[in-house]
Amino acid sequence: RGDGKMKRQHTHDARARGFSLVELMIVIAIIGILVGVGVPAWRNAVIAGNETAAIQNLRNIATEQRTYFNMNGRNGYATFDQLQIDPNFRGDAPVVEGYVYTLKVIPKTQSSPPSFTLNADPQSKDGIGATGKRHFYIDSNSGAVLANAAGPAGPLALNGQLPEAAHPGARAGGGACSR
């Protein structure tokens, strides 16, 4: 009888010892695989969200510029501070949701009407801290947001135009659509 009790205690102790080293290594490997798959997908989702926000911000600012232009006798366009839109858009080059916005207001001259250009460039384009992959542009002459994957977008430096029907969060595979 004494031996039976000893075996029960010994069996109980063997069950209470915890996980083996192999079991722990398997769990760590599974967690590593999940992190390896999840982090890049999460980063891509963040980048797509930032790009979508940049496109929408450009459209909203262009609408506000047209309103300002029409409300002020069609004499000129406004700076970020004059527009008094979102408080994040203040100063010369505000950074909003991972994009740096650059607004250039060209005053009216005797030979040309007033105009504006507005760029949205990723704050960081490469690495794990990338905030966007594409550069965006809109101006007073067009209602379309233009995109360029290679560098800052503009009227002459364009790879193309992002059509209204395109999904703004989708990746541009080496360039954008043609203008």
Side-chain angles (χ1 to χ4, degrees), residues 67-78:
T67 301
Y68 182 92
F69 179 73
N70 289 326
M71 297 296 287
N72 290 287
R74 303 176 69 87
N75 288 320
Y77 292 97

Side-chain angles (χ1 to χ4, degrees), residues 14-33:
R15 289 182 186 166
R17 69 182 170 94
F19 298 105
S20 70
L21 183 58
V22 172
E23 291 170 329
L24 290 174
M25 288 175 59
I26 290 171
V27 169
I28 291 170
I30 291 170
I31 291 171
I33 291 168

Side-chain angles (χ1 to χ4, degrees), residues 9-92:
Q9 287 178 346
H10 182 66
T11 306
H12 180 67
D13 290 341
R15 289 182 186 166
R17 69 182 170 94
F19 298 105
S20 70
L21 183 58
V22 172
E23 291 170 329
L24 290 174
M25 288 175 59
I26 290 171
V27 169
I28 291 170
I30 291 170
I31 291 171
I33 291 168
L34 291 174
V35 168
V37 170
V39 169
W42 175 75
R43 288 300 313 148
N44 288 338
V46 169
I47 288 170
N50 288 347
E51 288 182 350
T52 301
I55 291 166
Q56 191 59 46
N57 285 334
L58 289 177
R59 289 179 179 151
N60 290 343
I61 293 168
T63 300
E64 291 295 324
Q65 284 286 25
R66 287 184 199 94
T67 301
Y68 182 92
F69 179 73
N70 289 326
M71 297 296 287
N72 290 287
R74 303 176 69 87
N75 288 320
Y77 292 97
T79 64
F80 285 127
D81 293 330
Q82 291 170 321
L83 284 176
Q84 297 181 355
I85 49 177
D86 185 329
N88 293 321
F89 288 98
R90 295 284 183 254
D92 294 332

Side-chain angles (χ1 to χ4, degrees), residues 157-173:
L158 287 177
N159 278 349
Q161 170 180 341
L162 184 69
E164 296 289 324
H167 297 285
R171 279 191 164 170

